[in-house]
Amino acid sequence: PPADDSDPNDQFAELMMYHHVNRVHDYFKGTHGFSDLDYPLPALVNVQVKTDPPLPFLNPGPDGWIGLENAAFFPKEAWRQFAASFGLPPRDSDSIIFFQGGKDFAYDSPVIYHEYTHAVIGTGRLSVNAVLDQYGLDMSPRSMNEGLADFFAASLSEDPLIGNYVGTMGLGLRDLSQFKRCPENSTDEVHAQGEIIGSTLWALREIIGAEMTEAITYLALEQFTFGTNHERAAALILAAAADMGPEIGAQTRAIFEDHQFGQCERSLPFEFFRAQIAGLPHLVEGTQTSGVGGLRSGVPAFKQFHIDTAADTAAVELRWKVAAGGQGGFGGFGGGGTAAPLDLML
């Protein structure tokens, strides 16, 4: 590795990427028979961006280049749109991109496995923004995409900590050994929401072992669709586990019940609620952004709450304020605009 972690042009990033992409490719092919990625998958390292005019809120360096601490799986369709914004050439295949900021995300092998697993899942599974159920909008498809990428990365690394290198203070980005349960840990940020399935599968791995848990999960994943939600995913995983024998099936069901995975009433007690997670505001979709058709007059929220009142309660007062979200291309940064009013449905 170079002496400076922020070196924007080091060959160590290239070496790490070459080795670990081949390792994770050989794992999915050799263990699960997955051959859809039997071609040279473009993997970009040391990536920074420069905009004209500069975007000051992204903190460009003295040379105008913007260091981003992130990594991403880019389907070729998404890359085409992204590349057009920066005058970059299109690509004929999907790719994985590792940005260069204060730390180099290509140095963290589980992050490489995570992004490659997104490529394995592909664009035909777990890709819709949200689905509707009796509680409102549900982002479990995309969150499971993140959680499954975390699980396979952690299992291949034999370490529940994702992002041990790129995270802060040795805490990593996410720790699958931390118990996560629905609805207490339900949120509307896909990586955090993904920890529910990631934590559930890691707990199962601790009981029945890595090989069996990975096999069960992959067999179920092959049957997932664009909008598979927690309930359907749990049914498919439990069915795959039952096929492995009654003991494995019973152990899997017990873990799933403990984490309330697939049988969750997504309603939380309403208490003092600060609408932020990981420093970002909670998301309230609009009729054009939810990805769910037929919602013309309004969109239900991701979060639902209930209030249990005493028999002599005369009234309940709720207060909230709303701020406009961003329309920028970097995760919603940018702000501006006017916030639409929120209605309360009782």
Side-chain angles (χ1 to χ4, degrees):
D4 182 3
D5 284 3
S6 61
D7 186 338
N9 191 30
D10 65 292
Q11 293 179 321
F12 184 69
E14 301 172 8
L15 178 66
M16 282 287 290
M17 188 61 55
Y18 182 82
H19 173 79
H20 289 288
V21 163
N22 277 282
R23 183 187 179 206
V24 67
H25 165 272
D26 293 349
Y27 160 75
F28 276 108
K29 184 173 184 178
T31 303
H32 303 296
F34 177 79
S35 59
D36 289 4
L37 290 177
D38 278 358
Y39 59 83
L41 179 73
L44 281 65
V45 298
N46 297 319
V47 176
Q48 296 184 338
V49 298
K50 180 183 283 190
T51 63
D52 185 16
L55 300 177
F57 61 88
L58 288 176
N59 299 318
D63 56 2
W65 286 95
I66 300 164
L68 302 175
E69 295 194 3
N70 207 344
F73 162 61
F74 268 92
K76 59 183 177 182
E77 300 84 3
W79 174 260
R80 189 178 300 117
Q81 182 179 6
F82 176 82
S85 301
F86 294 98
L88 302 173
R91 293 187 171 273
D92 295 330
S93 68
D94 301 337
S95 55
I96 51 178
I97 315 295
F98 293 77
F99 294 97
Q100 171 65 64
K103 288 189 175 181
D104 194 323
F105 273 58
Y107 293 180
D108 204 316
S109 57
V111 175
I112 298 175
Y113 304 152
H114 173 103
E115 300 304 337
Y116 191 92
T117 303
H118 281 318
V120 171
I121 294 171
T123 56
R125 293 180 290 215
L126 304 179
S127 57
V128 298
N129 282 345
V131 292
L132 275 177
D133 64 11
Q134 66 268 39
Y135 302 104
L137 284 184
D138 174 18
M139 62 164 49
S140 59
R142 285 183 59 219
S143 71
M144 284 194 297
N145 201 324
E146 296 296 340
L148 290 169
D150 275 354
F151 169 71
F152 281 108
S155 193
L156 187 57
S157 305
E158 299 186 358
D159 185 347
L161 204 61
I162 300 296
N164 194 8
Y165 170 74
V166 298
T168 58
M169 297 181 293
L171 300 176
L173 301 173
R174 293 174 294 280
D175 185 353
L176 301 191
S177 67
Q178 292 186 358
F179 183 85
K180 302 290 182 177
R181 188 176 189 268
C182 187
E184 293 89 338
N185 300 114
S186 296
T187 182
D188 47 38
E189 199 285 317
V190 290
H191 298 84
Q193 172 90 346
E195 291 183 79
I196 295 176
I197 189 173
S199 166
T200 302
L201 292 174
W202 189 264
L204 181 62
R205 185 186 189 274
E206 297 282 87
I207 299 296
I208 68 173
E211 182 178 352
M212 191 68 71
T213 306
E214 292 167 15
I216 290 168
T217 304
Y218 184 82
L219 286 170
L221 173 63
E222 286 191 310
Q223 303 173 71
F224 287 6
T225 65
F226 292 99
T228 298
N229 62 7
H230 280 181
E231 185 177 5
R232 177 61 177 156
L236 290 170
I237 297 172
L238 289 170
D243 288 342
M244 302 290 182
E247 182 178 0
I248 295 296
Q251 290 172 315
T252 305
R253 185 172 295 278
I255 292 292
F256 276 38
E257 289 177 353
D258 196 25
H259 290 257
Q260 286 292 294
F261 183 75
Q263 50 183 358
C264 175
E265 296 183 359
R266 293 191 300 106
S267 178
L268 294 168
F270 189 92
E271 298 170 347
F272 177 75
F273 176 65
R274 185 175 299 281
Q276 287 197 357
I277 181 163
L280 297 173
H282 275 289
L283 180 64
V284 178
E285 295 284 9
T287 56
Q288 303 301 310
T289 62
S290 69
V292 178
L295 300 176
R296 297 182 179 86
S297 59
V299 181
F302 286 110
K303 279 194 171 292
Q304 306 294 332
F305 301 95
H306 61 266
I307 300 173
D308 294 324
T309 59
D312 58 350
T313 300
V316 174
E317 181 182 36
L318 301 177
R319 299 184 183 193
W320 66 90
K321 62 180 180 178
V322 185
Q327 301 298 320
F330 292 88
F333 290 104
T338 302
L342 288 185
D343 295 322
L344 186 69
M345 183 171 69
L346 302 177

